Amino acid sequence: MDYDAIVVGGGHAGIEAALAISREGFETLMITQSLDAIGRMSCNPSIGGLAKGNLVREIDALGGEMGHLIDRTMLQFRILNRRRGPAVQAPRAQADKFSYSRLAKETLEREHHLHLFMDTVVDLLIEDGSVAGVVTERGWRISSRVLVLTTGTFMDGRIFIGEYDAPCGRLGESAAIGLGDSLRRLGFHTGRMKTGTPARVRLSSLDLDEMERQEGDAAEPFSFDDDAVDCPQLPCYVTYTNEETHRIIRDNISRSPLYGGKIVGRGPRYCPSIEDKVVRFPDRERHQIFVEPEGLGSEEMYLNGLSSSLPEDVQRAFIHTIPGLRHAEVMRPAYAVEYDYLDPLDLYPTLESKLIRSLFIAGQTNGTSGYEEAAAQGLMAGINAAERIKGEKGIILSRTDAYIGVLIDDLVTKGTKEPYRMFTSRAEYRLSLRHDTADERLTPIGIRIGLASGERAERFEHKKQELCKVESILRSARSGEKSAYERLKEPGVDIKELGITDLEAFPDQILRRVELDIRYSGYLLRQEREVEKARREENMEIPPDFDYDSVEGISSESREKLKTVRPASIGQAARISGVRVSDIAVLAVAVRSRRG
């Protein structure tokens, strides 16, 4: 073997996969088209957000790298949904995207068992139904025991700007041509998806006093390894489109490749282009635009909410109708990118391919959208690729364990026809999956598989002890006629207002964590009962070679869907769209009979 593992792609999924495998001591090769583009933020220069911030904290708790990278490169920090309940709050940070990419590359280069190589993978080597390596554009045949594929938007990628189009994965970066055809020959089901990015404008050309200034919150670390972060807290700005903006877009809509039929891939409903917004919401008088910095050493500003594939002259025209942007100098145009993705229904919950053993697939290649979703999949694919090398079963996070579990289960159980994005509404047990509880839920797994360092394990044990101490103090302290513990269950009572001097020695995050657990203890107890029921269903495993044709009493429609997805458990089978409840009951009896 040339290497124990090969990771194809140097984006956010590839970074986590390569680090996870190499940190377990396996010789790993990352092959990427450009070493200068590792960890590049091709779209929004931010990490985190609603549900996405939870993913970052979970990645960190398992021993991943994204939390460390953003803690060292953030420009502004905010907690979103502060006025709502803790289940839907999440951290988000603007990143210095240039520093983020550079630090990601440096981190990979420092890893002892990890090697970087610049080339393009065009084919896979297969032996006896198992992946055996790759073939590159320059003719290299490199062997490996496992392979993680994270091609992002580059597999047969094509960008569109009005009448202009070119084979690119990002503006100025060549597409990966050939691999998609090779995968189709091997039997993979592929489709086309589309995403887009806004124009970048020059800071010094903006009229900032015409826009609303948006400051950040006191910076908090994403990583549980960090006690604090040093963040410059650059401001962002808010402005709005208007009727003149919309008129220019409507008058030129025929020049849009999206509406002219050149783009066939499905785009994200939740993050439409500005021309999509104008067409789909004709009664809206304005749309909100966030103007965000891209880096400390750059004048480029990102126009969040203004992605487009209209021609450059049209882009400049409608941008100049927006308050604060009337004199904006466009440095990079907006564009759409269309690319091949692989049907995630062809994957097991470990993210291993059902078609080829030892091949793992992660990131936008599976039809997702977002750095955080990609990184989460990359980490789990890397963990399970390492488990495969060791001959172990693999690690599957359930929907009750983590947002990562929700993400992967949705993909491999339901598939996706449009770019998948994580939302808090996708998680049934989101009160139990708060971003501040990620370390308690997942650090033990990180320790067990060897990705959490000894120092992390010590910090984790210390934190658990502090949480127990604070709860003990609250149970014994009196506040009026009740214990302080019971008083915290009352609306509007703040832990710091109880006046308990023994609590002054504890960090704010420890106090806040205990306060939330106590305040929502009734809801958490009720949810824990639901979680236990769900876990019982998840624990009833279905053998990979289970013969669904041998089970009498299952409808033909359900039988075909079960044979296509091949669920790992009764719980996963019950979540397959279109499978009847009565068929699940019959299947459960058959599985118990086989096991018994």
Side-chain angles (χ1 to χ4, degrees), residues 71 219-221 226-230:
D71 281 356
E220 300 174 13
D226 298 326
D227 294 319
V229 291
D230 183 15

Side-chain angles (χ1 to χ4, degrees), residues 229-459:
V229 291
D230 183 15
C231 175
Q233 290 286 23
L234 297 188
C236 297
Y237 299 88
V238 180
T239 186
Y240 298 87
T241 62
N242 51 59
E243 181 51 38
E244 178 63 9
T245 317
H246 303 171
R247 183 195 65 77
I248 292 173
I249 292 171
R250 285 194 297 268
D251 289 350
N252 290 276
I253 201 68
S254 62
R255 298 179 66 190
S256 166
L258 184 64
Y259 286 90
K262 291 179 71 175
I263 296 176
V264 298
R266 292 282 297 273
R269 283 179 299 157
Y270 46 80
C271 188
S273 64
I274 187 61
E275 52 263 40
D276 245 358
K277 294 177 187 176
V278 170
V279 171
R280 288 164 52 186
F281 308 106
D283 297 330
R284 289 281 296 272
E285 295 181 355
R286 65 179 192 172
H287 295 281
Q288 192 174 47
I289 308 298
F290 294 91
V291 183
E292 302 166 336
E294 294 227 303
L296 282 174
S298 173
E299 279 233 314
E300 289 187 80
M301 300 290 283
Y302 179 88
L303 302 182
N304 191 347
L306 211 59
S307 67
S308 177
S309 60
L310 285 164
E312 291 187 58
D313 61 311
V314 179
Q315 292 183 35
R316 291 172 187 270
F318 72 66
I319 286 172
H320 289 159
T321 67
I322 300 171
L325 304 178
R326 301 186 194 280
H327 306 101
E329 178 183 333
V330 177
M331 301 176 73
R332 304 188 197 212
Y335 63 90
V337 58
E338 190 180 57
Y339 55 94
D340 279 352
Y341 79 101
L342 303 179
D343 188 347
L345 289 177
D346 289 335
L347 300 176
Y348 293 112
T350 57
L351 297 181
E352 184 176 14
S353 169
K354 295 175 181 176
L355 305 178
I356 299 175
R357 291 189 304 276
S358 301
L359 171 62
F360 296 79
I361 304 172
Q364 283 185 274
T365 316
N366 288 335
T368 61
S369 174
Y371 312 137
E372 302 84 358
E373 290 88 341
Q377 293 173 73
L379 176 62
M380 295 310 299
I383 288 172
N384 285 316
E387 294 296 296
R388 164 65 81 176
I389 295 172
K390 292 184 286 188
E392 300 293 338
K393 183 178 180 181
I395 293 172
I396 299 172
L397 300 178
S398 77
R399 304 179 74 90
T400 64
D401 294 327
Y403 272 90
I404 296 176
V406 175
L407 164 67
I408 295 176
D409 183 68
D410 278 352
L411 291 174
V412 303
T413 303
K414 303 173 184 177
T416 186
K417 299 298 182 182
E418 63 181 20
Y420 178 102
R421 178 180 180 179
M422 178 53 67
F423 295 107
T424 54
S425 58
R426 296 190 190 273
E428 302 90 331
Y429 311 108
R430 54 185 176 269
L431 188 58
S432 302
L433 304 182
R434 301 195 319 258
H435 66 86
D436 62 322
T437 66
D439 59 336
E440 182 179 329
R441 291 182 277 116
L442 301 177
T443 298
I445 298 175
I447 294 171
R448 176 160 55 86
I449 61 180
L451 289 184
S453 65
E455 182 181 353
R456 164 66 69 88
E458 291 177 7
R459 288 174 64 90

